[in-house]
Amino acid sequence: MRFPFVLGLVCFSALAALAQAPRTAPGAVELQIKIDQTLVLPGEVIVVEIALRNLSGRPLVFTPSDDWLNLNVYSITKQTGEGVRVTQFKPALVNEAFILENAKSIKTRVEISKLFALMQPGRYKLTASAEYRGMAAPAAAEPQIFQITSGARLWEQEFGVRTGEGEGAVEGRKYLVQRLTNLKDQRLYATLMDASDGTILQQIRLGRSSASDNPQAKLDRLSYLHVLHQADSRLFTHTVINPAGDVLRRETFESLGPRPGLRLDEEGRVGVFNGVRRPRADDLPPMQPAPAVPAPAQPPAKP
């Protein structure tokens, strides 16, 4: 976990001096947490923003050995009321020592889906607290509630991936295209799974889709997944994903008449037809501008 500002070198003498400072009064530090998406699919990346504000009247020291940030996730069930603590794989650690000056704030983002076992559908509660050198009592954040749910399966296809030499060195996998609908919008996902046991290997967010969208999906000769979905009334997003779950290409096409679609040619290549490519900031790779066409040479003026 890294903070989005450049941390200077913290000298030993400054840390030692601040370590002898009087204990900080309760409530002198504010801690807030906010989850980016509170409705997600199993295996989706879940990111929480951590905000820390120093109101103690003096600089505060944070070091990696302090293990100052404490996160917990609870599964909310009707049987237990408060919930059951979710298995945590590793703590949320800060790798650098730093000093937070008085009246200053910092923000960082933590991917809690890497820290906790969050693969089962259900409602969950995230809690956070912070304690630091010279602190009288932990600073606690307001808990956040989020939900993991199943999406609507729109398309699926099994395929094989060669993992070595020999006929038996083939691993079965499956692509899914799913839609997740909440009160604000609809989001489209491509899911990469182990075909034998249904383990989710990657959950790839393709973006928002229109309410009437009917996405298309095809596999090319390399078992790359191509998905074309409608992002708004005239724009369509074409995404290409390899069998490892990496997004290789993302490009936008505008409809100038009939709806754009995917076409598989005789050589096993997939392309988009009935659409005009439009550059966008999130293109992968970025669309290169067309080379400038030199103006035609003018004939010399007649004397």
Side-chain angles (χ1 to χ4, degrees):
M1 183 175 71
R2 303 180 66 89
F3 288 98
F5 55 81
V6 178
L7 299 176
L9 295 176
V10 180
C11 66
F12 177 80
S13 58
L15 287 173
L18 288 170
Q20 303 302 319
R23 297 178 69 82
T24 304
V29 169
E30 292 181 354
L31 177 66
Q32 294 181 336
I33 56 175
K34 180 181 178 182
I35 298 177
D36 282 358
Q37 298 284 350
T38 56
L39 183 65
V40 297
L41 293 179
E44 185 175 355
V45 172
I46 305 174
V47 177
V48 56
E49 182 182 85
I50 309 291
L52 195 65
R53 185 183 181 196
N54 181 9
L55 301 173
S56 67
R58 64 180 179 87
L60 297 175
V61 178
F62 296 82
T63 68
S65 59
D66 289 338
D67 192 12
W68 59 269
L69 180 61
N70 183 36
L71 299 176
N72 283 295
V73 176
Y74 298 88
S75 175
I76 301 175
T77 62
K78 293 181 179 179
Q79 291 80 8
T80 60
E82 289 298 323
V84 178
R85 190 172 184 272
V86 174
T87 301
Q88 186 171 1
F89 303 129
K90 55 184 178 180
L93 296 178
V94 178
N95 297 324
E96 298 91 352
F98 67 97
I99 298 176
L100 178 59
E101 299 293 339
N102 180 52
K104 298 294 184 180
S105 300
I106 56 171
K107 289 184 179 180
T108 189
R109 296 166 68 80
V110 180
E111 189 176 326
I112 61 172
S113 45
K114 289 184 176 180
L115 306 180
F116 297 92
L118 294 172
M119 296 297 292
Q120 297 299 319
R123 295 181 69 242
Y124 295 87
K125 177 174 68 175
L126 172 67
T127 66
S129 63
E131 51 187 334
Y132 42 85
R133 194 172 302 178
M135 178 181 178
E142 185 72 21
Q144 295 288 298
I145 305 297
F146 64 98
Q147 183 173 352
I148 299 176
T149 187
S150 300
R153 295 192 177 193
L154 307 178
W155 176 93
E156 58 186 87
Q157 177 68 59
E158 291 191 17
F159 65 101
V161 175
R162 182 165 295 278
T163 58
E165 300 297 330
E167 294 183 1
V170 176
E171 183 177 292
R173 295 187 179 178
K174 178 189 286 189
Y175 288 123
L176 299 177
V177 176
Q178 301 187 77
R179 177 184 289 128
L180 182 60
T181 303
N182 59 25
L183 296 177
K184 296 181 180 179
D185 57 17
Q186 292 189 127
R187 299 196 301 272
L188 204 66
Y189 293 82
T191 307
L192 177 65
M193 304 177 65
D194 186 318
S196 62
D197 59 12
T199 299
I200 297 174
L201 304 176
Q202 291 285 349
Q203 196 73 269
I204 304 109
R205 188 182 300 179
L206 301 177
R208 289 185 171 88
S209 65
S210 66
S212 59
D213 183 30
N214 184 22
Q216 289 183 288
K218 289 184 181 296
L219 265 63
D220 65 19
R221 60 183 179 181
L222 300 176
S223 294
Y224 289 4
L225 173 64
H226 295 248
V227 181
L228 183 70
H229 78 276
Q230 188 173 1
D232 65 19
S233 59
R234 298 181 63 89
L235 296 180
F236 293 75
T237 301
H238 174 219
T239 308
V240 182
I241 299 165
N242 69 12
D246 303 315
V247 178
L248 302 182
R249 194 157 81 242
R250 183 190 302 113
E251 50 195 17
T252 300
F253 290 85
E254 182 179 3
S255 171
L256 300 181
R259 176 192 172 100
L262 295 176
R263 177 181 291 143
L264 180 67
D265 66 19
E266 295 180 353
E267 297 182 359
R269 295 173 299 190
V270 174
V272 177
F273 67 94
N274 283 342
V276 177
R277 178 79 188 276
R278 300 301 187 198
R280 285 176 62 95
D282 60 350
D283 283 350
L284 287 176
M287 184 177 178
Q288 299 298 320
V293 178
Q298 298 294 326
K302 296 182 179 182

